[in-house]
Amino acid sequence: MASKAVRSALALAGVCAAVGLVALAAVRRAEPEAAVAAPPAAPPPAVSRIVEDGSRIRYEGAEHPTLTLPGGDHKIVSSVLKISRPMQFGDFVWDDKGVPEGPTWVRVDVARQLISVFRGEHEIGSAVILYGAESKPTPGGAFTVLQKAKDYHSRTYDAPMPFMLRLTDDGVAIHASNVREGFATHGCIGIPREFARRLFAEARVGDAVFIQK
Amino acid sequence: MKFRRGVAVVAGLCALAWISTAAVGRISGEWGGEAGARGGGAAHAAGLSATLAAMMRDPLSIFAMRSPGERGLALLSSKPERTRAAAAEEPPTERVLSTVRERPPVASALDEFILPADELLGGDLMQLAALEPQPEVVPLGVLPPLVTPGGGFWGGGGDEPNPPPSVPTPVPEPATWSMMLLGFFTIGSLLRRRTAARARSEARSAA
């Protein structure tokens, strides 16, 4: 009787201790997160005012950020599109409302899987891209649009490549394709079809295309 | 009785310990958070907006925010390139019966037949032979790389767009026949066994 009572008491104590330990561990775990949530103080901004209006983030004032591009080029950026969440494959944004005329140029960011179309200093379009597989990588550098073809059909791959903007003589181009996750091209830049249609209308032969690896 | 009291005391102590732990956890979790939100709230928000502003100052970090991330290593597929040879020199369209002609046994038999006859009869049979479906003579003269029954042309590229189809022989071979007969016998024997077993069980149940 006595030993049974002792045993049950010990068991109860063990259970309580286990519960206490779990609670303590939960508390310990919760604490560092609270510590992480406090951000480190950022260096004070040295540039101009940033204004968000509707679909755009504008840089106003004297100094505008510049983008350093492959080939040693620098481009001033006055506004970019406001896309607050990560885009999905096949998504794109095109907004050239109120953007004045200017030279069109394109920046392809291979690592971030993005393309940005600029008119002058303003970004007017952005989309998720497909790029070359490891075996056939997309070349980086500064290119110009060599040729435009609305209904192009690749002989090498026996595949339709609508709204094709050729960049190199050996066949690297920007063209419409089915942009899905997990797929790659043979060196081309694949963009959603509707985006490709707009880019095709926007770009002219000789326009600059920068591919950032 | 004494032990029962001891049990109660231990249980009470444990409960106290547990409640106090939970309370401490709540205090450090919620109250600490509240204090941070009340006391250091302004600094906190300022810090956040400062980092946000610093991020927004750089277009690259804006691009990073909208990026789907870096590409993974596993790719599902991509369309294979047509082999350069296949793209450059398409097989001529006249060779309709090419697959029939490429059958090696027929070719060797024709060779054996034609060569002595050619030696014997001369020019007339040469013309006839040109009309015959000769695998070795006709295409070899015109297109050297096309006819190699071993598949040298198609095997050249890494990925074959359309490998030559195998032509089924009109008459089944003995092995095929024997396999089919064996199958029929197996099915038949199984059916017989099943009906026999059923008849037996019915007879047993009737008896």
Side-chain angles (χ1 to χ4, degrees), chain B residues 15-97:
Chain B
L16 198 69
W18 183 57
I19 288 168
S20 65
T21 322
V24 165
R26 279 184 61 180
I27 288 165
S28 63
E30 284 177 17
W31 292 5
E34 264 176 47
R38 273 186 209 144
H44 191 99
L48 247 179
S49 68
T51 40
L52 203 68
M55 274 180 76
M56 279 169 62
R57 196 146 295 114
D58 186 9
L60 288 179
S61 53
I62 294 178
F63 294 160
M65 276 195 283
R66 71 171 79 143
S67 163
E70 285 196 24
R71 185 169 74 185
L73 289 177
L75 294 177
L76 294 179
S77 79
S78 54
K79 189 166 182 173
E81 185 177 4
R82 275 206 261 182
T83 51
R84 207 165 282 277
E89 25 185 296
E90 295 272 334
T93 48
E94 305 91 72
R95 295 175 66 253
V96 180
L97 298 175

Side-chain angles (χ1 to χ4, degrees), chain A residues 163-180:
Chain A
F163 304 114
M164 192 273 296
L165 303 172
R166 183 188 288 275
L167 302 180
T168 68
D169 287 328
D170 62 350
V172 173
I174 299 177
H175 61 77
S177 58
N178 189 355
V179 179
R180 291 165 292 172

Side-chain angles (χ1 to χ4, degrees), chain A residues 61-206:
Chain A
E63 228 177 299
H64 290 183
T66 53
L67 277 178
T68 306
L69 298 162
D73 216 337
H74 297 273
K75 293 266 188 192
I76 297 171
V77 177
S78 293
S79 77
V80 294
L81 295 169
K82 193 172 115 186
I83 306 164
S84 44
R85 61 184 177 79
M87 287 196 283
Q88 304 291 309
F89 281 80
D91 282 0
F92 73 91
V93 175
W94 188 274
D95 183 11
D96 56 356
K97 233 181 291 167
V99 175
E101 288 297 309
T104 303
W105 56 281
V106 176
R107 178 179 183 275
V108 175
D109 196 326
V110 168
R112 295 188 178 99
Q113 308 196 76
L114 287 176
I115 185 172
S116 291
V117 181
F118 288 85
R119 187 193 289 164
E121 298 177 0
H122 304 275
E123 189 188 21
I124 56 172
S126 185
V128 181
I129 59 161
L130 294 184
Y131 64 95
E134 298 298 317
S135 53
K136 278 211 147 196
T138 298
F143 304 91
T144 52
V145 176
L146 301 176
Q147 180 201 353
K148 283 175 69 175
K150 191 163 175 281
D151 294 307
Y152 187 75
H153 192 96
S154 165
R155 269 170 300 156
T156 315
Y157 298 106
D158 188 22
M161 297 181 175
F163 304 114
M164 192 273 296
L165 303 172
R166 183 188 288 275
L167 302 180
T168 68
D169 287 328
D170 62 350
V172 173
I174 299 177
H175 61 77
S177 58
N178 189 355
V179 179
R180 291 165 292 172
E181 187 167 14
F183 284 76
T185 67
H186 290 93
C188 287
I189 307 290
I191 52 177
R193 192 186 166 87
E194 183 56 27
F195 185 83
R197 192 183 64 74
R198 291 168 193 227
L199 175 58
F200 189 83
E202 180 74 24
R204 266 168 278 168
V205 172

